Amino acid sequence: MKQKTLLDMLLYILGLSFNLAIMALVGYAVFRFTMWGFEFGGRESAYMVGTGEDEEVILVLEEYTSLADMARRLEEEGLIHNQWMFRLERTLMNRTADFRPGTFTLNRNMSSSQLNNALRARPPEEQQFQWIRIPEGWTIADMAAYFERREFFTAQEFKDAAQYGQFNYGFLMHVPTDRPNRLEGYLFPDSYQISMSPTPEHIIHRMLMNFDNRFTQYYQNRAYEMGLTIDEVVIMASIIEREAVQPAERPMMAQVIHNRLDIGMHLEMCSTVNYVIGPRDRLTYEETRIDSPWNTYVNPGLPIGPISNPGWASMRAAMFPEAGNYLFFVLRDPETGEHHFSTNFADHQAATARYLN
């Protein structure tokens, strides 16, 4: 009986030792896996919110911006690698308040904490601002001359920034980088509050951001439904902006443009020639024959690019033209800018004789 008790005790001790060994082995495996997980997570998080190359990025916030929107913007600008990791890090640190409006100079070599601190820094109380007003229909040349008159910088500096500057916006992806006046049409006309010592890049970013905020997914879908690219919409709108004076006529101008394009008819818009040679009350026949990719008298379809920076009313008109069969229009009243619209050439000739002769 005593021998059996000793055997049971020995078996118990052996079983206990085996269980302890198994537990130690499992514990070691868990420890190694945990350490590997921390190392892997550290590498991944370092990549996701880590620093990049030394390159400045101008970020403009027009209004208070949520953490989710800011994370998305930072990822789009290439300032962080993963918006979700940035949001998680900010949430764990209890720093989820909205970001204040302003213009921020950031760098792709900033860490996520540095980015957060820079975006949440309060401007000095003594910092002053000034306003600029860009009218609808102005060209890049008009803006450049205006900024030079304001003594911000030279006209050529603004033109060079608009032509060769790096601006990371999705709607510019299909705009040819070698097109003259590359950003024409996309510098949205509006009133802007800027610093007392602005740079061309800062102002251009503000205008492009304004365009981006207005041309939402809804309007992108609308352009797609019409079989148009964003660039084609902007080109149409730029012509409408220069041709129409009366707001009510914009959808009718759009109707003429769409109808002519649909039947393969030359647009023959005076504004496209004026873009090349400057404003004229009336074009001569020779002027309508000039060799230019913007001249819609000699070239079919739309011109090579926009001829102005249109306002939102003209943009909407290009995407929502008034239904009808108008193919022609002629200036009826120089005082009011009112036009007469016609559906056929005979009526147009009669209207031209009546109003222009």
Side-chain angles (χ1 to χ4, degrees):
M1 189 72 176
K2 186 176 180 180
Q3 185 177 8
K4 185 175 181 182
T5 302
L6 289 174
L7 181 61
D8 290 341
M9 181 66 69
L10 180 61
L11 291 174
Y12 172 77
I13 293 172
L14 289 173
L16 180 61
S17 300
F18 179 78
N19 289 335
L20 290 173
I22 292 296
M23 291 175 64
L25 183 62
V26 171
Y28 178 77
V30 170
F31 170 77
R32 293 303 304 169
F33 182 78
T34 302
M35 293 303 297
W36 175 85
F38 277 118
E39 292 173 1
F40 176 79
R43 290 195 303 270
E44 289 301 301
S45 62
Y47 168 76
M48 290 177 178
V49 297
T51 63
E53 297 180 357
D54 182 10
E55 182 180 354
E56 280 194 352
V57 175
I58 306 300
L59 191 69
V60 180
L61 303 182
E62 300 286 353
E63 55 189 14
Y64 280 86
T65 304
S66 68
L67 174 61
D69 288 338
M70 178 57 71
R72 176 185 57 80
R73 289 280 303 281
L74 293 177
E75 183 178 307
E76 290 174 351
E77 294 289 347
L79 290 160
I80 60 175
H81 296 294
N82 187 284
Q83 58 178 298
W84 304 107
M85 184 63 69
F86 182 84
R87 291 175 62 180
L88 176 61
E89 185 182 35
R90 296 299 96 200
T91 301
L92 292 176
M93 296 181 70
N94 195 29
R95 305 195 69 178
T96 59
D98 288 354
F99 294 83
R100 301 170 69 249
T103 299
F104 302 88
T105 302
L106 308 174
N107 198 301
R108 289 198 168 94
N109 64 11
M110 284 181 168
S111 68
S112 60
S113 294
Q114 289 173 325
L115 288 170
N116 183 76
N117 291 338
L119 290 166
R120 295 191 185 282
R122 287 182 170 273
E125 294 299 327
E126 66 273 11
Q127 185 173 1
Q128 296 181 351
F129 297 92
Q130 58 185 324
W131 287 89
I132 58 173
R133 169 62 186 167
I134 307 301
E136 298 171 344
W138 265 18
T139 64
I140 286 177
D142 294 328
M143 297 180 195
Y146 167 69
F147 295 138
E148 186 168 89
R149 289 195 302 272
R150 293 283 299 267
E151 298 183 349
F152 294 164
F153 32 73
T154 67
Q156 192 59 48
E157 285 176 319
F158 183 78
K159 292 178 181 178
D160 288 344
Q163 185 65 33
Y164 305 111
Q166 299 298 314
F167 303 102
N168 185 27
Y169 293 89
F171 56 82
L172 295 177
M173 287 180 55
H174 302 294
V175 176
T177 56
D178 59 347
R179 185 166 76 187
N181 302 328
R182 178 172 63 102
L183 296 184
E184 195 82 273
Y186 296 92
L187 302 183
F188 197 82
D190 205 344
S191 294
Y192 295 93
Q193 187 185 60
I194 61 172
S195 68
M196 296 302 292
S197 300
T199 65
E201 290 77 11
H202 285 205
I203 294 177
I204 291 171
H205 269 294
R206 295 290 302 276
M207 294 177 175
L208 294 176
M209 180 60 63
N210 199 350
F211 181 97
D212 192 32
N213 289 338
R214 291 171 183 269
F215 207 93
T216 62
Q217 189 63 51
Y218 170 79
Y219 293 107
Q220 294 178 41
N221 293 340
R222 173 60 181 174
Y224 177 79
E225 291 170 1
M226 300 184 72
L228 300 172
T229 65
I230 296 177
D231 200 42
E232 288 170 333
V233 170
V234 175
I235 294 172
M236 289 185 186
S238 73
I239 297 174
I240 296 168
E241 191 66 62
R242 298 296 291 188
E243 293 283 351
V245 176
Q246 293 292 328
E249 290 187 351
R250 289 190 177 102
M252 299 164 70
M253 295 281 186
Q255 177 190 147
V256 172
I257 293 173
H258 281 280
N259 286 344
R260 288 196 171 203
L261 291 174
D262 287 345
I263 64 175
M265 183 178 177
H266 280 51
L267 292 182
E268 297 187 348
M269 297 288 171
C270 297
S271 56
T272 62
V273 178
N274 290 336
Y275 183 71
V276 181
I277 65 175
R280 300 285 193 278
D281 290 334
R282 294 185 64 176
L283 296 176
T284 65
Y285 174 79
E286 289 74 19
E287 287 170 338
T288 65
R289 299 294 100 189
I290 64 170
D291 182 17
S292 169
W294 278 279
N295 185 358
T296 56
Y297 279 87
V298 297
N299 298 305
L302 293 169
I304 188 177
I307 63 169
S308 72
N309 293 276
W312 192 244
S314 293
M315 291 287 292
R316 278 192 56 86
M319 291 181 283
F320 298 92
E322 184 175 304
N325 300 315
Y326 287 139
L327 288 171
F328 305 91
F329 59 85
V330 63
L331 184 63
R332 178 203 296 264
D333 188 339
E335 295 292 328
T336 65
E338 185 180 3
H339 291 81
H340 177 90
F341 292 81
S342 304
T343 60
N344 60 79
F345 187 60
D347 288 348
H348 176 63
Q349 282 185 308
T352 300
R354 185 181 317 128
Y355 297 119
L356 295 187
N357 296 329

